[in-house]
Amino acid sequence: MNRKEYFGEFGGTYVPEDLKLALEDLSENFYKYIDDDDFKEELKFYQKEYIGRPSLLYYAEKLTEKIGGAKIYLKREDLNHTGSHKINNALGQILLAKRMGKKRIIAETGAGQHGVAAATVCAMFGMDCTVYMGEIDTKRQDLNVFRMKLLGAKVVPVTSGTKTLKDAVDAALQDYIENYEDTFYLIGSAVGPHPFPVMVREFQSIIGKEARKQILEKEDKLPDYIVACVGGGSNCIGLFHHFYEDKEVKMVGVEPAGKGIDTNEHAASITKGKPGIIHGFKSYTLSDEKGEPMPVYSIAAGLDYPAVGPEHAFYKESGRGEYRYATDKEALDAFLELSRVEGIIPALESSHAVAVGCKIAEKLDKDKIVLINLSGRGDKDVNQVRELMNL
Ligand SMILES: *Cc1c(COP(=O)(O)O)cnc(C)c1O
């Protein structure tokens, strides 16, 4: 695999010298093992036997009929062990950590989804696991804190700054600087300094690799549109990667517009942000005049990050990717619609992609195809939705 630190002007390694050493060591090992047959075999084995891959590509016939336009297909990442795409990345990284002889895993988590995925693979491979989580998030998501503990992980509440995800990332990076000789930082999305964005994309690219093969088998042609939600951008880049060269396939990322992109309550980093540096990399960020990350908001806790992976920033600039957004209300409507019409309760994050995917399909002829990544299941969200609807 070619080494690539920058995507256009985005990406890079904007970190202190100490951390550079750790990242260089990580890069060396990542590029070595990602092309190693033995490593690839091991990854494939656990993808099948532990995660349950390949995930289904499902023709949503009822939803298609209801919308009345293009055929809608769903890539069912919600059916993976632990219920989302996050396990794809956690598995890949822990296998790499094992090869590198690391004994201790650290991770950051916002809503707790990535923390649970990290704790899961650590339990399975017998690794010591510490998860940094903003104190506010530990209270908001106490069930996920309990899940991580159940899986044997230590959860460290972070009390600095805004006590949320961005502070948890800072705490994890600090631990990594101090302990990288025996510690592996299992990052949760396609963000951070090089090589993290490339590494996470590589482990998530199984989504698009399978989807491309499956749609060719079922339809004998490629989709017209592929659609995924964008938080940090890992499920979306995982879907896009193997379609990149298929220029006729339009790639659409969907950002969380919260209560509206003209309010202060959204997390639409590409739509409303500007280029800047955050957490060691350059990308589109939502930041104030001083360059400090702004507080962000979405109905879907897994989407509220004040930046986006650097490869998406590049796709936006080059025009290869198109970035749209869905509001809380649109996501909630899609959540209810998919539950009712197909008997599939999607994650609120994924519901953003469903909302925009349906809008696109509506305007297309019946011989067109829209493929939507269903990044996770919505069981984790039913209490929140019940409260929102006053049920
Ligand atoms: C975390 C999460 C996301 C957002 O993360 P990305 O890195 O943007 O993919 C999306 N969907 C689900 C179900 C998640 O748990």
Side-chain angles (χ1 to χ4, degrees):
M1 200 179 138
N2 287 333
R3 287 176 185 240
K4 194 163 180 194
E5 191 176 342
Y6 282 91
F7 306 96
E9 63 172 299
F10 301 105
T13 319
Y14 298 87
V15 298
E17 280 308 311
D18 290 359
L19 191 50
K20 274 206 176 122
L21 292 175
L23 293 171
E24 268 162 31
D25 182 43
L26 179 62
S27 279
E28 287 300 319
N29 281 284
F30 166 66
Y31 286 111
K32 175 170 139 199
Y33 286 116
I34 202 69
D35 283 334
D36 177 84
D37 286 338
D38 197 42
F39 181 82
K40 287 196 282 195
E41 273 309 305
E42 190 179 22
L43 179 61
K44 217 160 128 184
F45 175 82
Y46 287 107
Q47 282 173 336
K48 176 164 179 280
E49 300 294 330
Y50 193 63
I51 300 181
R53 304 206 69 91
S55 69
L56 296 175
L57 182 71
Y58 170 74
Y59 172 41
E61 193 174 356
K62 298 290 187 305
L63 185 64
T64 299
E65 276 168 22
K66 181 116 195 273
I67 301 293
K71 277 184 152 178
I72 299 170
Y73 277 87
L74 303 174
K75 180 63 174 160
R76 301 287 310 274
E77 292 299 299
D78 60 315
L79 297 177
N80 295 338
H81 176 45
T82 69
S84 85
H85 70 291
K86 288 214 167 65
I87 193 85
N88 300 328
N89 170 50
L91 172 68
Q93 287 196 55
I94 203 149
L95 292 177
L96 181 60
K98 209 157 64 83
R99 297 272 167 149
M100 290 172 71
K102 306 289 182 189
K103 302 274 178 284
R104 178 172 174 262
I105 301 291
I106 56 171
E108 87 294 341
T109 198
Q113 299 293 101
H114 172 59
V116 170
T120 298
V121 294
C122 284
M124 221 273 276
F125 288 99
M127 293 264 208
D128 185 80
C129 183
T130 302
V131 180
Y132 289 96
M133 187 169 188
E135 192 184 33
I136 292 180
D137 292 332
T138 60
K139 293 188 178 133
R140 279 197 291 221
Q141 305 285 343
D142 61 331
L143 203 54
N144 273 340
V145 173
F146 178 65
R147 277 197 187 98
M148 289 183 259
K149 289 182 177 166
L150 206 54
L151 292 159
K154 252 194 305 299
V155 180
V156 181
V158 178
T159 55
S160 55
T162 58
K163 306 183 173 96
T164 59
L165 175 60
K166 77 180 179 59
D167 310 288
V169 176
D170 287 332
L173 283 169
Q174 192 53 41
D175 182 322
Y176 190 41
I177 290 175
E178 286 161 21
N179 300 302
Y180 77 83
E181 279 178 19
D182 72 343
T183 297
F184 188 98
Y185 178 18
L186 206 163
I187 203 166
S189 188
V191 298
H194 182 78
F196 288 123
V198 178
M199 183 165 79
V200 174
R201 181 250 280 156
E202 210 49 36
F203 293 136
Q204 291 294 2
S205 67
I206 185 75
I207 300 173
K209 188 178 181 185
E210 287 175 4
R212 193 176 183 284
K213 183 161 170 262
Q214 289 166 319
I215 198 75
L216 286 173
E217 280 165 9
K218 285 182 191 256
E219 292 281 348
D220 205 23
K221 63 177 184 181
L222 291 170
D224 296 278
Y225 284 84
I226 56 176
V227 186
C229 65
V230 180
S234 69
N235 86 90
C236 188
I237 207 71
L239 177 67
F240 286 3
H241 188 61
H242 283 276
F243 288 98
Y244 183 79
E245 301 293 340
D246 304 314
K247 299 292 186 224
E248 70 276 27
V249 177
K250 296 197 180 63
M251 310 197 303
V252 180
V254 182
E255 295 199 292
K259 299 191 174 156
I261 53 159
D262 295 321
T263 70
N264 286 326
E265 290 178 273
H266 64 76
S269 314
I270 296 180
T271 307
K272 295 290 280 188
K274 36 184 197 314
I277 290 163
I278 182 174
H279 295 139
F281 68 106
K282 183 172 181 189
S283 187
Y284 278 87
T285 68
L286 289 165
S287 38
D288 61 20
E289 285 94 69
K290 287 188 221 132
E292 287 294 311
M294 294 200 299
V296 286
Y297 161 83
S298 166
I299 191 177
L303 298 181
D304 59 358
Y305 181 63
V308 65
E311 201 164 0
H312 288 295
F314 174 61
Y315 286 2
K316 157 77 181 174
E317 296 256 304
S318 73
R320 180 66 187 93
E322 186 190 335
Y323 294 85
R324 301 195 190 182
Y325 51 83
T327 61
D328 285 0
K329 164 110 190 18
E330 290 167 326
L332 193 55
D333 288 346
F335 177 96
L336 298 173
E337 172 118 315
L338 195 64
S339 301
R340 277 289 165 82
V341 177
E342 290 286 352
I344 297 171
I345 303 176
L348 282 171
E349 290 82 1
S350 323
S351 302
H352 288 71
V354 175
V356 168
C358 288
K359 254 195 206 169
I360 293 172
E362 200 174 4
K363 298 205 179 70
L364 296 174
D365 292 338
K366 290 191 185 336
D367 63 337
K368 303 286 188 206
I369 299 168
V370 175
L371 192 160
I372 303 170
N373 193 37
L374 208 67
S375 55
R377 66 179 179 224
D379 302 51
K380 68 183 179 60
D381 300 317
V382 292
N383 257 325
Q384 187 188 346
V385 171
R386 182 170 61 175
E387 279 171 24
L388 285 167
M389 299 176 66
N390 281 321
L391 295 177

